[in-house]
Amino acid sequence: MKANNKKFISDSIITLTRQVMNIGIGILLLVVLTRFLGPVDQGKYSLVTLLPLMLMMFISIGINTSTIYFVSKNKFLLETVLKTNILVGILLSLVAVVAGLVVIVFFSEALFEGVEISLLYMVLFSIPFIFLKEFLQTIFHGLQDFKSYNTLMIINQFAILGFISLFIIVLDYGLIGAIIGFVLGNITTVFVILYLLLKKKQLRLSSGQFSRPYLKESVDYGFKAYVSNLATFLNYRLDVFIVGYFLSPASVGIYTVAVNVGERITMVSTAISSVLFPKIASEDTEDARNRLTSIVSRNVLLISILASIALLIVSDFVIGLFFGREYIQSSDVLKIIMIGIIFLSVEKIFSNDIAGRGKPEINMYTSIFNVIMNVGLNILLIPQFGIMGSAYATTITYFISFIIKLIIFRKISSQSYSKLLLIQKEDIVLYKSLLKAIQKKIRVNVARKGSS
């Protein structure tokens, strides 16, 4: 049990490290976009690159999520999973491209007002690679090879940043260069994933076969997770479209800066919940699952509160320093969103536990309710309060979603609310032991340097 706990902590730390690096890369990307494109073109970039991500969410049918679940249970050969995911990914990506063309031809004026239509056509080239990236990197996630999985996530972010910097800073291609960089970044990531799967994991496409049984079970499980993830994604991102519809591309730019900075608070929650999903799926006893998730949820709540307070204090300075005074309104939006993000951090933990227990339909129903509520609140509040109205809508939605998941998980696990939300004596003991371990490691390193 101790070995398992140590691995869980180690995997969580590895994933958290990736989250921190992604924050750095993400902030650098935002700085490049805001400084060299300005609020209008940066807002257009956000809208354009949202199109392939939306199509991925709508058409993926949950294959990426079910891959994690079934690989962690070791039910199918990896070569079978690999080959089936590649073939299904290519097929679904072609469907997504056609759907994207329909959206551009018939709905671009309503959904992408002020955006050049050529940019929308250009970003469609990223779709096959986004599908393959999502369907293949989750194999590492299911294997609980978090070192490789997190490395790939960083490579994707870094590749996009590198290509965008090349095209808009060095070559001065402006917004067109940013879109080209986004496409090339995703292409690069797919080739790296295939290299790791074929070389590091020594998988062979020739030895695998397309599996209908795997595909059927994957769709059965994945569709429930798909509806849940789709609704959650819409909950996170549909407000960008609504802000763009009611306001302007510049408002979208200001709003997305606030959301991107605010979501960094969830890095601990995202890291741990990412590890928690396959861990819960592979656990044999309910007691072990309940104890693990209760420890995680209450500690994530504490960390999220402390991180939010810290960001609240420095938000004006951070926004002004990294993005310029023209984005200072993002700080006001951020202060409202941060309240909701505290609750979102804990809700993610409950959601991944529930999915890991093989009950994705619970997340599905809750997420559908959340997105309907969020859209309604955005439509109601944005005309009256501008982008602040979207911030209010987001925070209210996150809070209500948290309450729903808390009540549901309380019934599933029979854990008391205090164990799920309040720090316990065993947590203090854990923190003390971790502190002693860190101090011991520091002393050992100092002694080694002294002896050398």
Side-chain angles (χ1 to χ4, degrees):
M1 179 64 73
K2 288 185 177 180
N4 287 337
N5 288 340
K6 285 183 178 179
K7 186 177 186 308
F8 181 84
I9 293 173
S10 174
D11 289 339
S12 298
I13 291 173
I14 290 172
T15 307
L16 179 59
T17 302
R18 184 262 297 175
Q19 290 284 338
V20 173
M21 293 184 68
N22 273 356
I23 286 175
I25 298 172
I27 289 176
L28 282 175
L29 178 58
L30 271 175
V31 169
V32 169
L33 292 170
T34 55
R35 293 291 187 182
F36 288 89
L37 296 183
V40 174
D41 279 353
Q42 188 262 326
K44 289 181 180 179
Y45 172 86
S46 298
L47 287 171
V48 171
T49 55
L50 192 56
L51 176 60
L53 300 178
M54 291 285 286
L55 291 169
M56 168 67 196
M57 288 303 302
F58 272 105
I59 298 174
S60 67
I61 63 175
I63 298 296
N64 48 344
T65 304
S66 60
T67 298
I68 302 171
Y69 182 75
F70 286 110
V71 170
S72 68
K73 287 189 169 296
N74 197 27
K75 190 172 182 178
F76 298 94
L77 291 175
L78 285 179
E79 286 86 355
T80 296
V81 174
L82 173 61
K83 195 161 192 175
T84 304
N85 279 16
I86 288 176
L87 293 174
V88 174
I90 293 172
L91 175 62
L92 292 179
S93 68
L94 294 177
V95 175
V97 169
V98 173
L101 291 171
V102 171
V103 170
I104 294 171
V105 172
F106 295 101
F107 304 103
S108 59
E109 290 186 5
L111 296 177
F112 303 96
E113 184 179 358
V115 175
E116 294 81 356
I117 197 169
S118 60
L119 299 176
L120 298 171
Y121 285 123
M122 187 183 302
V123 83
L124 293 182
F125 285 101
S126 68
I127 289 178
F129 301 96
I130 289 175
F131 271 79
L132 289 174
K133 179 191 70 176
E134 291 296 322
F135 284 11
L136 298 183
Q137 71 184 8
T138 46
I139 293 176
F140 294 100
H141 195 169
L143 290 170
Q144 300 187 52
D145 181 0
F146 288 99
K147 183 177 181 180
S148 298
Y149 176 73
N150 289 306
T151 298
L152 290 169
M153 300 286 280
I154 293 171
I155 287 172
N156 181 241
Q157 287 278 84
F158 189 76
I160 293 173
L161 170 63
F163 281 117
I164 286 179
S165 298
L166 171 65
F167 282 105
I168 71 174
I169 297 177
V170 179
L171 301 178
D172 195 23
Y173 281 7
L175 181 55
I176 292 176
I179 304 303
I180 294 174
F182 175 81
V183 174
L184 292 178
N186 283 290
I187 293 174
T188 301
T189 305
V190 171
F191 281 106
V192 175
I193 291 172
L194 287 172
Y195 173 80
L196 290 178
L197 285 171
L198 299 178
K199 296 296 182 181
K200 183 176 180 179
K201 297 300 180 184
Q202 297 183 338
L203 300 181
R204 293 290 178 267
L205 287 174
S206 58
S207 61
Q209 60 181 353
F210 178 81
S211 172
R212 289 184 179 180
Y214 163 68
L215 180 59
K216 182 181 183 302
E217 291 195 40
S218 187
V219 172
D220 287 344
Y221 176 93
F223 184 76
K224 299 170 187 175
Y226 154 76
V227 175
S228 174
N229 291 338
L230 175 60
T232 301
F233 181 83
L234 291 174
N235 210 23
Y236 293 167
R237 294 291 178 261
L238 204 54
D239 48 2
V240 174
F241 277 122
I242 301 174
V243 169
Y245 177 81
F246 281 108
L247 302 176
S248 65
S251 296
V252 173
I254 290 170
Y255 183 75
T256 53
V257 165
V259 171
N260 274 278
V261 174
E263 286 180 350
R264 304 312 174 195
I265 295 174
T266 66
M267 65 178 181
V268 174
S269 172
T270 302
I272 296 176
S273 61
S274 179
V275 178
L276 187 67
F277 177 24
K279 176 68 174 174
I280 292 295
S282 61
E283 279 287 356
D284 296 325
T285 66
E286 290 295 314
D287 287 342
R289 293 171 175 172
N290 296 338
R291 183 175 182 275
L292 178 61
T293 302
S294 62
I295 292 172
V296 170
S297 65
R298 62 183 181 250
N299 282 279
V300 164
L301 177 60
L302 174 63
I303 293 169
S304 299
I305 291 173
L306 295 176
S308 296
I309 293 173
L311 187 55
L312 177 66
I313 295 172
V314 301
S315 62
D316 289 350
F317 173 76
V318 168
I319 296 295
L321 175 65
F322 287 105
F323 307 109
R325 301 307 299 177
E326 58 190 341
Y327 283 91
I328 198 62
Q329 192 179 0
S330 296
S331 179
D332 297 328
V333 176
L334 177 61
K335 290 171 184 176
I336 301 299
I337 290 177
M338 281 192 303
I339 300 171
I341 285 177
I342 293 173
F343 300 109
L344 172 66
S345 298
V346 185
E347 190 262 355
K348 282 186 175 183
I349 301 299
F350 295 144
S351 295
N352 278 275
D353 178 285
I354 291 168
R357 293 173 193 251
K359 300 177 179 179
E361 65 276 4
I362 294 176
N363 291 332
M364 177 181 70
Y365 297 134
T366 306
S367 297
I368 292 172
F369 170 79
N370 290 340
V371 75
I372 293 172
M373 177 175 57
N374 191 31
V375 170
L377 288 172
N378 270 282
I379 292 174
L380 179 67
L381 297 177
I382 289 177
Q384 186 173 357
F385 299 102
I387 56 175
M388 295 301 293
S390 189
Y392 296 137
T394 297
T395 292
I396 293 170
T397 301
Y398 287 166
F399 174 71
I400 294 176
S401 179
F402 161 76
I403 294 297
I404 293 172
K405 287 288 176 65
L406 175 63
I407 294 171
I408 291 173
F409 186 76
R410 165 74 175 80
K411 291 182 178 179
I412 291 175
S413 66
S414 298
Q415 298 288 297
S416 66
Y417 289 122
S418 61
K419 283 191 175 182
L420 293 173
L421 301 177
L422 301 179
I423 294 298
Q424 307 291 307
K425 186 179 292 185
E426 63 180 307
D427 301 318
I428 305 300
V429 174
L430 176 63
Y431 285 136
K432 287 181 178 179
S433 64
L434 286 175
L435 182 60
K436 288 181 180 178
I438 293 171
Q439 291 174 337
K440 182 178 178 181
K441 191 169 185 179
I442 292 174
R443 286 197 297 267
V444 170
N445 290 335
V446 171
R448 286 177 180 174
K449 289 181 179 180
S451 61
S452 62

